[in-house]
Amino acid sequence: MAQILAFSRSLHLQHPLRVSLASLCSRSMSSLDTRARAVFSAAVEGVQPDIVVRRSLERHGDKLLVGGQSFTLTNNLYLVGFGKAVLGMAAEAERIVGDHLIKGVVSVPHGIQKTLRNHGKEKMLLENNSRIIVMEGARNNLPDTDAQKSAECIQELASGLTEKDLLLVLISGGGSALLPAPAPPMSLQEKQDVTRKLAAAGATIQELNTVRRALSLLKGGGLAQCANPAQVVALILSDVIGDPLDLIASGPTVRSNSKPEEVWDILDRYKLSGSLPSSVKEVLRPHYRSQVKEQPEEVKDHVLNVVIGSNTIALECASRKAVELGLRPVILSPGVCGDVRSVSRLYGVLSRFACCPEKEPPPELAAEILQLGPEVGVESWDLCRTMNVLVEERKEGWGATCLLAGGEPTVQLTGKGRGGRNQELALRVGLELSSDEVKCGAVFLSGGTDGQDGPTEAAGAVTDGELMEEATSQGLDIDGFLTNNDSFTFFSQLSEGRRLLMPGLTGTNVMDVHVMLLPPTAQRDFQ
């Protein structure tokens, strides 16, 4: 344990407002539940489309400052966008620079305008006199003919720009399905068939994206190429771990470095190259690539990509809220991934580590935490730093700790129930916290920042160490619900659904946020 603490001893630790141990200990579990929900709400609020755009576009007369660069506005501005959150982004962008806007086109999910209006999110809608055309498509988040028409309109707008023009590109999660532009002579159906067969054969998401970009006119930097020689400024709301620009919406403003032979290697690996339609083979021929898809180096000089919203930013906002609530925030990682079983185990062991009654936590707990790291996408450095803070706060006598993390865990489906990864993670963490060796009063929340978790109206759930006893007293078999992946039904039936997280549609999406509140350990003499 000493080696682990020494590893991160030099790190600077935040010191929020000191809170009385006695007062915190006297607060009820409902208080922790309320504070966990407030922290989650702050995370979501911090990445709202209008807020992140306003934070990123600084206007001084006819000068626009973005990402440290200045651009002159002379009635030369055009706007395009695609993704689940771009409608709100476009509305705010038009408020800021609309007097110089000539024309705009945004591709958004089918029915989103009606949905936003029904949820009281009028500020995310465009004004009646807007110069931006809204086109809906991609039902069920799948490319369709409506989305293809939107992509064609976006391509047409970008292709007509000159070196005097400025193209503002708004990108968010879901943008790939809303910008389908198969390279001719290939049809949309043929492109979908190839990617569907790859997915069924077990191709990784990286392999799928490599092939998608190669078969598209606008992905993999294609949109930036169409807009050349105009200046392109892309504002990106990231829903991908690590914020890789080439993967968010398949990178329409990011130069693709993939080569035809890489694509063929993937198709050969999954035994699909021999059954490809002639149109797909034509697109993948080297001479076609060089004539249609190859991008000149100078294109990069005309493109500025800025990530304006991400899980990291959401966690920073959550951290500030935690301080306001008298909690000591610790950000574990914005890149938590892997199976929910491993992720829930990590949170369970971290709770044991923080709450164990010994002078210092047993070394086997630290060893298990470090062993779980690679399975859940968290670096050893971040785990060591977090453990160091948890030990130091015990010695210093601080109040409750707010452990924060984010990312996108996965669920292996074994049943046909209703529920998403956040509700299942919360249920599994609840089981961990319900074990006799923990019972430290920790509260855990997992929620999707888009306000939806799988095919349900919930964003996630809040749980604690009383979950097992509560479920048993109400005749609910937790194992049965987990086997059927039916976490939503479980939480709906448990105590009249009070543990469900129901913020409604948020209008944004930066993956999931995890909040674990650890009550203060009674101060001990560690001398």
Side-chain angles (χ1 to χ4, degrees), residues 91-419:
E92 186 63 24
E94 190 167 26
R95 294 185 193 107
I96 297 172
V97 294
D99 53 327
H100 286 275
L101 181 63
I102 304 299
K103 183 181 179 181
V105 179
V106 293
S107 177
V108 298
H110 176 80
I112 192 171
Q113 294 177 94
K114 180 180 179 181
T115 301
L116 287 172
R117 194 171 289 110
N118 291 341
H119 281 76
K121 304 262 183 193
E122 284 80 6
K123 70 176 181 178
M124 294 187 184
L125 298 173
L126 297 169
E127 300 292 339
N128 292 331
N129 60 347
S130 173
R131 296 181 180 179
I132 301 172
I133 299 171
V134 180
M135 304 183 72
E136 297 187 354
R139 290 174 182 264
N140 302 316
N141 200 32
L142 295 173
D144 56 20
T145 54
D146 287 336
Q148 185 172 0
K149 291 177 183 177
S150 303
E152 291 169 355
C153 289
I154 289 173
Q155 180 185 356
E156 181 180 359
L157 184 152
S159 299
L161 302 181
T162 71
E163 67 276 1
K164 298 179 181 180
D165 297 321
L166 173 63
L167 178 64
L168 187 61
V169 183
L170 308 177
I171 303 173
S172 74
S176 183
L178 288 159
L179 195 71
M186 181 177 47
S187 69
L188 177 61
Q189 185 62 50
E190 288 173 328
K191 180 183 175 183
Q192 288 179 294
D193 287 344
V194 172
T195 54
R196 189 180 298 113
K197 289 178 181 178
L198 271 174
T204 65
I205 185 61
Q206 292 83 3
E207 291 170 330
L208 285 170
N209 281 327
T210 298
V211 174
R212 283 196 192 106
R213 288 195 296 266
L215 300 179
S216 174
L217 278 179
L218 299 181
K219 296 179 174 66
L223 177 60
Q225 182 184 3
C226 285
N228 193 44
Q231 174 67 52
V232 176
V233 176
L235 304 183
I236 303 168
L237 189 62
S238 172
D239 69 335
V240 182
I241 289 177
D243 309 328
L245 297 179
D246 61 327
L247 293 187
I248 303 169
S250 297
T253 57
V254 182
R255 179 183 173 87
S256 175
N257 294 318
S258 62
K259 299 178 180 179
E261 50 267 29
E262 295 178 36
V263 180
W264 282 111
D265 286 344
I266 294 171
L267 294 170
D268 286 340
R269 189 175 307 135
Y270 296 101
K271 297 178 173 55
L272 295 176
S273 55
S275 60
L276 294 174
S278 59
S279 60
V280 177
K281 293 179 180 178
E282 174 67 19
V283 170
L284 294 177
R285 286 175 184 166
H287 81 274
Y288 180 100
R289 176 93 174 168
S290 63
Q291 292 175 12
V292 180
K293 290 289 292 179
E294 191 61 33
Q295 302 168 40
E297 286 294 331
E298 61 264 25
V299 168
K300 292 190 293 184
D301 298 330
H302 289 267
V303 180
L304 172 64
N305 290 295
V306 184
V307 175
I308 64 173
S310 65
N311 196 271
T312 296
I313 293 173
L315 294 181
E316 290 170 352
C317 295
S319 179
R320 289 192 288 271
K321 184 63 176 181
V323 172
E324 291 178 14
L325 296 173
L327 304 166
R328 180 189 181 98
V330 184
I331 297 178
L332 173 62
S333 170
V336 176
C337 58
D339 190 270
V340 289
R341 292 178 177 85
S342 298
V343 177
S344 63
R345 179 62 183 172
L346 174 67
Y347 287 126
V349 181
L350 279 170
S351 176
R352 293 178 178 85
F353 182 91
C355 301
C356 70
E358 288 84 2
K359 178 179 177 180
E360 281 196 357
E364 56 266 25
L365 289 180
E368 184 174 359
I369 289 170
L370 291 174
Q371 186 177 12
L372 284 166
E375 297 181 34
V376 299
V378 181
E379 297 289 341
S380 296
W381 170 260
D382 289 320
L383 292 168
C384 290
R385 171 180 54 79
T386 300
M387 287 188 282
N388 182 49
V389 174
L390 293 176
V391 169
E392 290 299 320
E393 73 96 23
R394 289 156 57 90
K395 293 183 178 181
E396 295 175 10
W398 289 96
T401 298
C402 179
L403 183 65
L404 297 165
E408 197 167 88
T410 55
V411 175
Q412 293 185 5
L413 296 178
T414 57
K416 298 181 179 181
R418 297 182 68 206

Side-chain angles (χ1 to χ4, degrees), residues 35-48 318 321 445 501 503:
R35 284 189 282 175
R37 292 174 185 268
V39 169
F40 174 77
S41 295
V44 173
E45 181 66 22
V47 289
Q48 285 294 295
K321 184 63 176 181
L445 176 152
L501 184 63

